[in-house]
Amino acid sequence: MTEPVIALKDVSLTLGTGATTVHVLKGVSLTVNRGETAGIVGPSGSGKSTLLMVLAGLEKVDAGEVSIAGQRIDGRSEDEIAAFRGRNIGIVFQSFHLIPNMTALENVAVPLELAGHADPFGTAARELAAVGLAERVTHYPGELSGGEQQRVAIARALAPQPPILIADEPTGNLDQATGKQISDLIFAKAAERGMTLLLVTHDPSLAARCDRQIAMRSGRIEANPAAAIAVSA
């Protein structure tokens, strides 16, 4: 039997207070199996990115259970969740989130160094080479193209060898050709390493590459992914 690596049970999340209160997630239940690729689709404001943030422990739920790699993370302290995330979850954002005054090598190595990794700079160099940036390790983000910056971000996410990779609109800031290269890279690395991949996307062709599509609307998971893909496109 395939082992679920992600399990959400009746998860709810509300943001804001008073008149600005928004019920972002409403009783969401979801399981994702080890090694599965899943695309989260739906119209803007449906809760897709918030769902990813919950899975990464970056948003605390109001109710429900969140289990990642067989461990409950809801109710843990921020420090405990941060340490758990560093070992188990790699994150790729739309806007790269690189530190501008650090080289590509440093952007990948410093998080490893802070986590006590035995060989942070050697590992960072190998990961940058693995994403095609062996010749760009000493360059700063401002000296790199958008596609190259996203490759650095992917190397940073992969460096701790996490079992789970989540990506929030990873091609959203890139032109079509570069976006195709980045999506190819993400899927190739996930398959090569046997990772579970969850990605939020408005791109129907990218969602179609996943083993499964998870459709969201108004904070809930819908039964008809095709309809949500059509609306989000």
Side-chain angles (χ1 to χ4, degrees), residues 8-25:
L8 273 61
K9 182 178 179 182
D10 294 327
V11 165
S12 295
L13 173 63
T14 301
L15 299 177
T17 57
T20 63
T21 297
V22 179
H23 299 284
V24 185
L25 299 178

Side-chain angles (χ1 to χ4, degrees), residues 99-118:
I99 299 172
N101 62 347
M102 288 187 178
T103 64
L105 184 67
E106 290 167 336
N107 264 282
V108 179
V110 168
L112 296 174
E113 190 173 34
L114 293 173
H117 194 283

Side-chain angles (χ1 to χ4, degrees), residues 42-193:
S44 296
S46 59
K48 305 184 301 297
S49 293
T50 302
L51 178 61
L52 280 194
M53 295 304 99
V54 165
L55 295 175
L58 293 169
E59 287 283 3
K60 288 193 172 184
V61 300
D62 299 326
E65 300 177 3
V66 182
S67 297
I68 306 294
Q71 297 186 47
R72 289 274 298 273
I73 66 169
D74 54 282
R76 291 194 182 192
S77 71
E78 290 187 10
D79 288 345
E80 289 174 326
I81 292 174
F84 179 85
R85 180 171 55 247
R87 295 188 302 270
N88 291 279
I89 303 170
I91 309 174
V92 178
F93 296 99
Q94 177 176 342
S95 53
F96 319 140
H97 290 303
L98 301 180
I99 299 172
N101 62 347
M102 288 187 178
T103 64
L105 184 67
E106 290 167 336
N107 264 282
V108 179
V110 168
L112 296 174
E113 190 173 34
L114 293 173
H117 194 283
D119 183 21
F121 284 88
T123 299
R126 288 190 291 274
E127 291 293 351
L128 286 166
V131 298
L133 294 179
E135 306 302 319
R136 307 287 272 170
V137 294
T138 61
H139 288 68
Y140 292 90
E143 300 173 318
L144 301 173
S145 69
E148 288 171 332
Q149 290 185 62
Q150 192 63 297
R151 286 175 184 269
V152 175
I154 292 168
R156 180 181 59 192
L158 295 176
Q161 299 291 326
I164 301 167
L165 179 63
I166 65 177
D168 191 359
E169 295 283 4
T171 63
N173 280 345
L174 305 173
D175 62 67
Q176 186 174 7
T178 304
K180 173 67 163 56
Q181 294 171 357
I182 292 299
S183 60
D184 287 348
L185 178 63
I186 289 173
F187 277 93
K189 292 302 176 185
E192 176 186 302
R193 302 182 187 206

